[in-house]
Amino acid sequence: MDDLTSRRIPPPFGQTVRFLPGDLPRREASTSDVVRRFLAGFFLVLCVAAVAWPFLPRRYEAAGSVVLRPTDREGQSDSALSLRQPLDDNAVQSEMDLVSATSVLDAVIARHAIADDPEFARPPLLARLGWAPDPGAPTQGQLREAVRRHLIVARDRRSYTVRVGFWSADPAKAEAIAQTLVSTYLSDQVDRKRRAADALFQWLELRVGLIRARQQASAQAVEDYMARSGLVDRGDQISLDAQLVTLSQEAALARARAIELTTRAGTLAALQAANGLDGAPEVLASTTIQALKQSLSNALGRTVVMSPEQRAITEQIAAESNRIVRSASAEAENWSRREAALQGQIRAIRATLTERQRATMVLERLQQEAASDRTALADALTRMKGQTASGGAQRTDVEVVAHPETPREPAFPSLPLYALGSLLAAGLAGAAMNGRRLFARARRFLEF
């Protein structure tokens, strides 16, 4: 068995290993060779890393900080109120998404000529190497996507503070575009609020026009109805009330008089039927009958036998008595007809008053509608005036607490991390230079 075989095959268990005189120099030579190989791979990787460091692409980040504020007028001027204003995560995320809105990106692209910047409008690598056709000038959507990939929009913990910035290979470009991004975002927010205010004002103006037309129509309806129903003449109502009072009094008097005369006529008719009319008060009070009776008494005093003169006087007395009865009946009928006529007039006046009352109820409803329209018009005018006053004082809902500054050091690559990674890669490269020996030792270890 030669020395090489004795070194590769492990000795049996319990047997002492004996080294030959030439084994130690060989082991020392083998160890120095391992160290030399490791150092060669280690320093080779370090040299390559040191040479590649200046050529690595840099990423400079310029970012500012903004604080989201509430949208009401009080919160815009009171920072303490803005901090107490509850904004949920969805509202904060939506406001962060507005930083990359199309209008903001288009303004950044137009101001900084992004379409002509090689950093954003560079063709693909295969096209630059000639392995693929040139796609031509990038579209506006591709430019937006390229700019969107360079945006920095991050929320600071769970507060209302948001970092807004831009990264680029050129620190001055990163700072300039970040400044433009923040200013454009603020102006775009004001423009959006102004457009919303203008739209609201136009809607209010249209609503005021509609309400004014409705109010004018309701007011005209009140006037037309007052003229058509006669309610515009308030003296007519007073006259009808006075007439109703007067006619009611006269009707009551006529009814009492008719009852009295009807009773008297009935009494006279009954006395006449019972041949007792001579004792009636009306007959006794009649001067004509008294004169006739006096003439009859004189005629009776002259002769005993009834003469034609006496008979004529008696007939005149009977005729006068009948006239008194008929006169009482006629007067009773006259008063009854007068009462009926007065009652008819009263009913007509009451019907007129009823119609006026109904018309008054309709008029009150129309007046209420007109009053409601006037109130709605006043409220709409007040709101439109308030919107006009606040339309020119639109402010942003964001407060800039830190403006973007030109970065002095690149955010990528980081020198400490690059050095640590280079050392780790150098160690792995040195170990790879002695891969066979390490693999052989690991196999012998596993076999043992």
Side-chain angles (χ1 to χ4, degrees):
M1 183 182 297
D2 55 1
D3 295 337
L4 181 60
T5 305
S6 63
R7 287 196 299 270
R8 291 180 178 177
I9 300 176
F13 181 76
Q15 183 178 354
T16 305
V17 179
R18 292 180 298 176
F19 294 97
L20 298 176
D23 290 342
L24 186 58
R26 291 190 184 94
R27 287 181 176 273
E28 292 178 355
S30 176
T31 303
S32 62
D33 186 47
V34 170
V35 173
R36 186 170 56 253
R37 287 174 178 272
F38 178 82
L39 292 178
F42 184 83
F43 285 107
L44 178 62
V45 172
L46 288 182
C47 291
V48 172
V51 172
W53 169 256
F55 299 97
L56 291 177
R58 264 54 175 177
R59 173 174 172 170
Y60 293 91
E61 296 182 356
S65 297
V66 298
V67 176
L68 304 182
R69 306 182 68 172
T71 57
D72 56 351
R73 233 181 283 175
E74 291 75 9
Q76 291 180 353
S77 59
D78 189 358
S79 59
L81 180 60
S82 67
L83 295 178
R84 293 193 301 267
Q85 183 74 15
L87 294 176
D88 57 0
D89 293 340
N90 297 329
V92 175
Q93 185 61 44
S94 299
E95 194 65 30
M96 292 170 60
D97 294 337
L98 290 175
V99 178
S100 59
T102 302
S103 57
V104 177
L105 297 182
D106 290 342
V108 172
I109 291 171
R111 183 169 182 178
H112 294 275
I114 300 298
D116 300 329
D117 194 335
E119 184 177 359
F120 303 98
R122 181 179 301 177
L125 178 61
L126 296 179
R128 293 200 301 270
L129 296 177
W131 295 349
D134 190 0
T139 62
Q140 189 71 11
Q142 293 174 345
L143 293 176
R144 293 194 196 104
E145 189 62 28
V147 173
R148 191 175 285 112
R149 286 195 296 267
H150 287 248
L151 292 180
I152 300 173
V153 183
R155 186 177 180 182
D156 189 4
R157 298 179 296 277
R158 294 186 60 84
S159 65
Y160 296 153
T161 304
V162 179
R163 293 180 68 248
V164 179
F166 196 83
W167 67 267
S168 175
D170 185 2
K173 184 194 300 183
E175 187 270 338
I177 296 180
Q179 292 283 3
T180 303
L181 182 66
V182 173
S183 62
T184 306
Y185 164 65
L186 297 179
S187 61
D188 181 73
Q189 188 181 79
V190 174
D191 291 340
R192 283 188 284 107
K193 294 179 68 175
R194 185 174 292 112
R195 288 193 298 269
D198 293 341
L200 178 59
F201 180 79
Q202 293 177 1
W203 178 80
L204 288 175
E205 190 175 14
L206 179 61
R207 184 169 180 266
V208 166
L210 294 176
I211 295 177
R212 180 179 285 112
R214 188 173 64 185
Q215 188 270 334
Q216 292 176 355
S218 60
Q220 188 64 36
V222 170
E223 295 179 0
D224 294 343
Y225 188 79
M226 288 182 66
R228 187 171 60 253
S229 61
L231 295 178
V232 67
D233 186 7
R234 298 185 180 275
D236 192 13
Q237 179 72 29
I238 298 174
S239 176
L240 289 174
D241 292 338
Q243 290 178 20
L244 182 62
V245 172
T246 303
L247 292 176
S248 297
Q249 293 176 355
E250 292 182 0
L253 180 61
R255 183 174 181 78
R257 187 64 175 165
I259 293 173
E260 178 184 356
L261 292 176
T262 302
T263 303
R264 189 180 66 175
T267 302
L268 291 175
L271 290 175
Q272 185 180 16
N275 294 322
L277 188 60
D278 293 338
E282 289 79 0
V283 173
L284 296 176
S286 175
T287 57
T288 302
I289 293 178
Q290 293 298 329
L292 291 173
K293 285 183 177 183
Q294 184 64 33
S295 299
L296 181 61
S297 298
N298 294 332
L300 290 174
R302 289 195 298 270
T303 61
V304 178
V305 181
M306 181 172 293
S307 61
E309 181 183 1
Q310 293 174 353
R311 218 171 9 259
I313 294 172
T314 302
E315 292 177 356
Q316 290 179 0
I317 292 173
E320 183 66 20
S321 299
N322 292 332
R323 187 191 63 77
I324 292 174
V325 173
R326 290 194 303 272
S327 176
S329 299
E331 188 176 4
E333 291 177 359
N334 289 334
W335 279 105
S336 297
R337 286 194 295 270
R338 178 181 175 84
E339 179 194 2
L342 291 174
Q343 292 294 339
Q345 291 294 326
I346 290 174
R347 285 193 296 271
I349 292 175
R350 285 180 176 175
T352 303
L353 291 176
T354 303
E355 292 297 328
R356 290 181 66 88
Q357 185 65 28
R358 293 175 180 174
T360 302
M361 295 173 62
V362 176
L363 179 62
E364 290 177 355
R365 180 176 58 80
L366 293 177
Q367 289 176 345
Q368 289 178 358
E369 293 178 358
S372 300
D373 293 338
R374 285 195 301 271
T375 303
L377 179 60
D379 294 341
L381 288 174
T382 302
R383 187 177 179 184
M384 188 173 68
K385 290 180 181 179
Q387 184 66 25
T388 304
S390 62
Q394 297 293 341
R395 298 180 57 186
T396 62
D397 300 334
V398 176
E399 180 182 1
V400 181
V401 296
H403 290 275
E405 298 179 355
T406 304
R408 297 183 179 180
E409 299 293 335
F412 178 84
S414 175
L415 183 58
L417 294 178
Y418 184 78
L420 181 61
S422 299
L423 291 176
L424 180 60
L428 293 176
M433 294 294 291
N434 297 285
R436 284 185 182 179
R437 293 179 179 274
L438 294 176
F439 182 73
R441 290 183 179 181
R443 187 174 59 183
R444 287 198 302 270
F445 178 77
L446 293 174
E447 291 176 355
F448 179 74

